[in-house]
Amino acid sequence: MSLPLDILMIAALIVCILLGFPVSFTIAGVAIVFGFIGALTGAMDLSLFGALGQRIFGVLTNDVLIAIPLFVLMGVVLEKSRIAEELLETMGRLFGNLRGGLGVSVVLVGALLAASTGIVGATVIAMGMIALPTMLRNGYNPKLASGIVCTAGTLGQIIPPSTLLIILSDVMSNAYQQAQYEQGKFTVETISVGQVFAAALMPGLLLVAIYIVYLLARAWLFADDAPAARALEEKPSGWVIAGAIFPPVFLIIAVLGAILGGIATPTEAASVGAAGAFLMAGYRQGVSQRLVVVGLVALFAVIIAAGIIPVRLQRSDTLMTDWLRGGVYAVLAVVGFAAVCMCVRNAYKHGLLLPALTSTMSVTAMIFTTILTASIFSLVFVGLGGEDRVEHVITAMPGGPTGALIFCMLLIFVLGFFLDFVEISVIVLPLVTPLLILMGHDPIWLSVLIAINLQTSFLTPPFGFSLFYLRSVAPPDVTTGAIYLGVAPFILLQIVGVALIWLAPKITTFLPALVY
């Protein structure tokens, strides 16, 4: 008995990726080949390809996805301006004298960088070049040190803002609307990026706490695995600590506060984050510190004031006070814009701007190419009857809604060994999440469970991206096998995190309910 084409299509995709073909071209190529095979065998109507243009247009005009390149630019500028490096060095000196303290500092820095950059590759590489040699010099177990760096770097995918959460919020919003249509509700509600950001914040901090407890417990039980630092510089002063921590924390408050407070949309907040990153880089690289501070204050003031007391000068009933207020807002915006322009010019002079833009374009092109080609794949998969097969498999799972969710989580976890989080998000999730929502699972809670699961895919061999990033900068004496073994306990900790959120959904739903 021959296998159905939809199953063969999934198998062909995984095989081609394992053979090393470029992912985006593989997704589109496999889809087109199976589309024509389906047309020749009568399993698919070739006219379905007529909907492809509409799907691509929908992706390119999606306002939510515009935030991705802006958040990427923010993270790249912070990484290339050495702000992340300074933060690592300061935190390492602060906690180094504690047994397991260097590992704790790496986790805390990973959390701060996650909330201010959201880029896994940049974080893992930066910590692999700075923190990993420091831990090894101070006698850390190479496996433990590798696992700490890889895992702390992945926090950028669960602590907002992150590209994963933006993509996931768009997928879950469409799934939630589809589920409501299936229930006959035509005045549908939706899920915003802000809700997903709010839902992921506490679980992200929970994971940080789990990592730290594990490190301190392991250092206490096995002192040789994570000893206190030897010959470490004296502890930094309060001013040094504040100078390293305050800039990224200020940026986090500006970006997340604007989103969660309803002052700005995620795209607007991302643009604020990118501008703030350039101002911070300029402050560090020689632009007048007074100009940078004035620019930051001006931008912060206009964002808060315009959000609380908006001005609409096009209205016929505009008063003189509205014009005066609008003039003040305009002056503040011009001052902030001038400061940003000076910092961008300074970044160009120091050779930071072009590499930052190049990296941003590369990452953005990778993400959007995958999303676009996944649209072709999902179109053909649905045309071959794959959607009906997925629905039949999920609804036939023993255990009802709980059994179906366990099956889907295991499926996503296994696929994470072979596929990137973007591919899983835009190919697999649109097929399974509407069914899970129809079964009664809360979409916000479900989003966070899936996000942690997808975060784990960065750690699972053979294609865990964090493993590749660390391998590229790790010393030769840290073997690939040591890196793989080092992340194994942290994969188990990820599962513990999922279990805690599963058993206590309030961890996820409390903040969105409070804010929204």
Side-chain angles (χ1 to χ4, degrees):
M1 181 178 176
S2 60
L3 287 173
L5 285 177
D6 53 336
I7 296 178
L8 287 174
M9 185 180 176
I10 296 291
L13 175 65
I14 294 175
V15 169
C16 289
I17 290 176
L18 289 174
L19 290 175
F21 290 104
V23 172
S24 297
F25 296 116
T26 299
I27 294 172
V30 168
I32 292 171
V33 168
F34 275 85
F36 281 106
I37 292 174
L40 292 174
T41 59
M44 173 181 165
D45 185 357
L46 207 58
S47 63
L48 277 175
F49 278 114
L52 190 57
Q54 184 178 358
R55 285 192 168 209
I56 292 175
F57 182 77
V59 172
L60 296 179
T61 56
N62 190 327
D63 291 337
V64 173
L65 299 180
I66 297 174
I68 291 176
L70 293 170
F71 278 130
V72 172
L73 177 61
M74 179 180 78
V76 171
V77 170
L78 289 178
E79 183 258 330
K80 293 189 178 297
S81 61
R82 294 172 59 88
I83 292 173
E85 181 177 332
E86 180 182 340
L87 185 61
L88 270 169
E89 292 174 349
T90 303
M91 295 295 282
R93 290 167 57 195
L94 180 63
F95 289 98
N97 293 326
L98 173 70
R99 188 187 295 178
L102 285 176
V104 171
S105 69
V106 171
V107 172
L108 291 175
V109 169
L112 284 173
L113 293 181
S116 54
T117 68
I119 302 177
V120 171
T123 306
V124 173
I125 289 173
M127 292 195 293
M129 295 176 66
I130 304 165
L132 181 61
T134 303
M135 286 191 285
L136 295 177
R137 281 198 306 270
N138 284 278
Y140 267 62
N141 184 316
K143 298 174 186 176
L144 177 62
S146 301
I148 293 171
V149 170
C150 286
T151 308
T154 65
L155 287 169
Q157 292 303 311
I158 187 61
I159 296 179
S162 80
T163 53
L164 167 59
L165 294 178
I166 294 172
I167 295 171
L168 192 59
S169 67
D170 183 59
V171 171
M172 293 302 296
S173 177
N174 293 332
Y176 189 38
Q177 292 180 27
Q178 182 180 336
Q180 290 177 94
Y181 282 132
E182 292 287 337
Q183 293 172 326
K185 299 177 182 177
F186 297 105
T187 306
V188 296
E189 299 176 2
T190 187
I191 295 173
S192 68
V193 177
Q195 286 174 291
V196 176
F197 278 9
L201 186 58
M202 295 304 294
L205 297 178
L206 174 65
L207 286 177
V208 172
I210 291 173
Y211 300 157
I212 291 175
V213 169
Y214 167 74
L215 288 173
L216 294 177
R218 181 162 174 174
W220 182 69
L221 293 172
F222 307 100
D224 292 339
D225 279 0
R230 302 188 301 265
L232 201 67
E233 298 177 53
E234 62 181 17
K235 285 191 175 182
S237 66
W239 286 110
V240 173
I241 296 172
I245 295 178
F246 178 74
V249 169
F250 179 83
L251 195 62
I252 293 165
I253 293 173
V255 173
L256 288 184
I259 297 173
L260 300 181
I263 298 172
T265 66
T267 302
E268 293 165 346
S271 63
V272 171
F278 275 111
L279 287 170
M280 288 165 58
Y283 185 90
R284 183 183 177 86
Q285 294 182 331
V287 175
S288 169
Q289 294 183 352
R290 182 175 299 175
L291 174 65
V292 173
V293 172
V294 169
L296 274 171
V297 172
L299 288 176
F300 197 69
V302 74
I303 291 169
I304 298 297
I308 297 174
I309 312 174
V311 174
R312 296 176 176 85
L313 300 179
Q314 73 273 21
R315 292 175 51 171
S316 59
D317 59 346
T318 303
L319 303 175
M320 181 57 67
T321 54
D322 294 322
W323 283 99
L324 291 175
R325 194 180 296 118
V328 172
Y329 291 175
V331 171
L332 290 173
V334 168
V335 171
F337 180 73
V340 172
C341 288
M342 289 292 294
C343 291
V344 171
R345 180 173 176 270
N346 183 75
Y348 177 77
K349 287 173 57 178
H350 284 80
L352 184 149
L353 181 62
L354 292 181
L357 293 178
T358 302
S359 297
T360 301
M361 291 174 66
S362 299
V363 174
T364 303
M366 181 273 291
I367 291 173
F368 276 86
T369 303
T370 304
I371 293 174
L372 291 172
T373 54
S375 297
I376 306 174
F377 189 93
S378 60
L379 184 68
V380 175
F381 187 75
V382 170
L384 293 174
E387 187 175 37
D388 296 332
R389 188 180 305 279
V390 170
E391 180 177 358
H392 175 72
V393 170
I394 291 177
T395 54
M397 281 290 122
T402 302
L405 181 54
I406 292 173
F407 169 77
C408 291
M409 292 292 286
L410 288 174
L411 175 65
I412 294 168
F413 180 76
V414 172
L415 289 176
F417 283 78
F418 310 102
L419 300 179
D420 180 38
F421 77 95
V422 180
E423 297 142 27
I424 298 174
S425 298
V426 295
I427 294 175
V428 179
L429 295 188
L431 298 173
V432 301
T433 48
L435 298 171
L436 294 174
I437 294 172
L438 279 171
M439 289 179 172
H441 294 295
D442 181 271
I444 299 292
W445 175 73
L446 186 61
S447 299
V448 176
L449 285 180
I450 293 174
I452 298 177
N453 203 342
L454 291 174
Q455 176 203 356
T456 310
S457 70
F458 280 83
L459 301 174
T460 48
F463 292 125
F465 278 86
S466 286
L467 311 178
F468 289 147
Y469 293 138
L470 183 60
R471 177 66 280 168
S472 66
V473 296
D477 54 329
V478 178
T479 64
T480 302
I483 295 175
Y484 283 5
L485 291 174
V487 298
F490 291 94
I491 294 174
L492 296 177
L493 293 178
Q494 293 286 112
I495 297 173
V496 170
V498 169
L500 289 175
I501 293 168
W502 191 309
L503 296 172
K506 285 288 185 181
I507 298 173
T508 298
T509 58
F510 168 75
L511 190 56
L514 181 67
V515 174
Y516 292 94

